[in-house]
Amino acid sequence: MLSKNKLKEEIFAYFLLILGSLLFAVGDVMFVNPYLLAPGGTYGLSNVFNTLWPWRISYYAICMDIPLLIIGTLILGPKFGVKTIISTILIFLFTRILETAWGYAPVIHDGAIMPEQITDSMVQIVNNGGFFTPDYFLNTVVAGLIYGIAIGMIFRSGATSGGSDIISMILHKYTKISLGTLVMIVDSCITLTTLIAFGDFRLPIYSIIIIFIEGKVIDLVVDGTKSYKTAFIVTDQLDTVRDYILNDLKRGGTCLTGEGLYNGTERKMIYVTMERADFVKLRSNLRRLDPQAFVNVIDSSEIMGLGFKALPKEE
């Protein structure tokens, strides 16, 4: 039986899963599809199919998602989990509801126009039979934000995006190309279908911008807004630098002993991780503490352990 805290975590995880799935459907139906964009994934490809051969986006997507989940399970094993399956079903249901209740009308535009006023820079609303003057840039930014928040919530719930990512995982198994590279290749191929289908070079460019914004927002949702710096400080004034870190910054660290490569002299090095604001203070005072100090600073995307983010619990 689940403990009280574990039950709360599971309830919150499913809340994120449901809300993330709803937001994903909103982003696709109301922002991405009306502009003929395809920012990767099975839903991106479904948007192209929906415009070329009108059929529900949800139907196209589920017809691809289910076989991919089955094939992925057969080849990669049952690694996708119940939440990924639930997310796939929820996105399908929410998309289907929005298609019925809203259609494919855009939320962002500069106004509807009459058919006789149509120019090449205007986009047809396929299922509604009307036209609108597009605002590509604002729509792209908003779509990227919505997608990023949605997928970030789904990731935080413990689910994965599934869909076309399964193709990347399968290719990774047999080609040994990095998974990140393969995801980019697969998504890029999907975005290029808009150029092939509609002959407008702006569409894949805006789709790629959505992917970029989406990736940044996913990182914020999953990892939070805090930025950490890890510093390796080689110093002959060990006590002075250590006291400043402990007493002024209220941070711990690790003291390492090394040997200089050039002359073999023993050197002391402090390894310390801190928030950006504390690092700015340290950098401003290092010249005073030890003018001869050597410092290597790296960005740390995630820090777990005492004083930082708690270590993940066992599933």
Side-chain angles (χ1 to χ4, degrees), residues 176-195:
K176 302 306 178 184
I177 300 173
S178 73
L179 186 58
T181 300
L182 287 169
V183 169
M184 290 178 61
I185 292 172
V186 172
D187 282 346
S188 296
C189 289
I190 293 173
T191 62
L192 288 175
T193 60
T194 57
L195 176 61

Side-chain angles (χ1 to χ4, degrees), residues 190-206:
I190 293 173
T191 62
L192 288 175
T193 60
T194 57
L195 176 61
I196 297 170
F198 310 120
D200 189 339
F201 72 91
R202 294 174 302 174
L203 300 181
I205 293 175
Y206 281 117

Side-chain angles (χ1 to χ4, degrees), residues 88-308:
T88 300
I89 296 171
L90 285 175
I91 292 174
F92 164 75
L93 292 175
F94 285 136
T95 302
R96 183 69 185 87
I97 291 169
L98 285 172
E99 288 171 317
T100 303
W102 177 269
Y104 300 106
V107 174
I108 295 175
H109 58 81
D110 289 334
I113 60 171
M114 300 300 293
E116 59 269 18
Q117 298 175 293
I118 298 170
T119 67
D120 291 339
S121 64
M122 298 171 183
V123 180
Q124 183 176 3
I125 306 172
V126 178
N127 283 19
N128 290 15
F131 297 84
F132 67 95
T133 304
D135 186 342
Y136 279 104
F137 181 75
L138 180 59
N139 184 79
T140 297
V141 172
V142 175
L145 291 173
I146 293 174
Y147 262 19
I149 294 171
I151 298 175
M153 286 181 171
I154 292 171
F155 283 174
R156 283 199 62 176
S157 75
T160 61
S161 56
S164 63
D165 288 351
I166 297 174
I167 299 174
S168 303
M169 294 177 190
I170 294 172
L171 292 174
H172 173 66
K173 179 177 180 179
Y174 294 107
T175 65
K176 302 306 178 184
I177 300 173
S178 73
L179 186 58
T181 300
L182 287 169
V183 169
M184 290 178 61
I185 292 172
V186 172
D187 282 346
S188 296
C189 289
I190 293 173
T191 62
L192 288 175
T193 60
T194 57
L195 176 61
I196 297 170
F198 310 120
D200 189 339
F201 72 91
R202 294 174 302 174
L203 300 181
I205 293 175
Y206 281 117
S207 296
I208 291 170
I209 293 173
I210 289 177
I211 293 172
F212 177 79
I213 296 173
E214 170 193 324
K216 295 298 182 182
V217 176
I218 288 172
D219 288 341
L220 288 175
V221 174
V222 174
D223 298 326
T225 57
K226 286 189 175 181
S227 177
Y228 296 102
K229 297 286 187 179
T230 295
F232 296 88
I233 308 168
V234 180
T235 175
D236 291 327
Q237 305 296 326
L238 178 67
D239 292 338
T240 303
V241 177
R242 179 178 59 195
D243 289 344
Y244 179 80
I245 293 172
L246 291 174
N247 300 322
D248 292 75
L249 300 182
K250 308 298 182 183
R251 278 293 175 191
T254 302
C255 182
L256 306 173
T257 301
E259 185 178 288
L261 189 63
Y262 180 69
N263 54 19
T265 304
E266 183 179 285
R267 303 294 301 273
K268 297 292 185 180
M269 181 172 68
I270 296 174
Y271 164 74
V272 59
T273 297
M274 60 192 72
E275 294 178 14
R276 185 187 295 273
D278 287 333
F279 170 72
V280 171
K281 296 177 184 177
L282 174 63
R283 184 175 60 185
S284 300
N285 285 276
L286 264 178
R287 179 178 290 275
R288 173 180 61 82
L289 298 171
D290 182 5
Q292 305 302 318
F294 176 85
V295 186
N296 181 32
V297 182
I298 59 176
D299 290 317
S300 299
S301 60
E302 186 173 23
I303 307 296
M304 295 181 289
L306 185 62
F308 295 94

Side-chain angles (χ1 to χ4, degrees), residues 19-41:
L19 184 57
S21 300
L22 173 60
L23 284 176
F24 184 94
V26 169
D28 190 72
V29 174
M30 297 182 176
F31 295 89
V32 172
N33 178 269
Y35 278 75
L36 309 182
L37 301 176

Side-chain angles (χ1 to χ4, degrees), residues 50-110:
N50 166 263
T51 306
L52 294 176
W53 307 290
W55 197 35
R56 300 290 187 183
I57 297 173
S58 54
Y59 293 165
Y60 277 121
I62 202 68
C63 285
M64 289 184 278
D65 282 339
I66 291 178
L68 283 173
L69 281 171
I70 294 172
I71 294 170
T73 301
L74 292 174
I75 295 177
L76 303 172
K79 61 189 298 182
F80 303 108
V82 174
K83 288 179 181 175
T84 296
I85 297 173
I86 293 174
S87 175
T88 300
I89 296 171
L90 285 175
I91 292 174
F92 164 75
L93 292 175
F94 285 136
T95 302
R96 183 69 185 87
I97 291 169
L98 285 172
E99 288 171 317
T100 303
W102 177 269
Y104 300 106
V107 174
I108 295 175
H109 58 81
D110 289 334

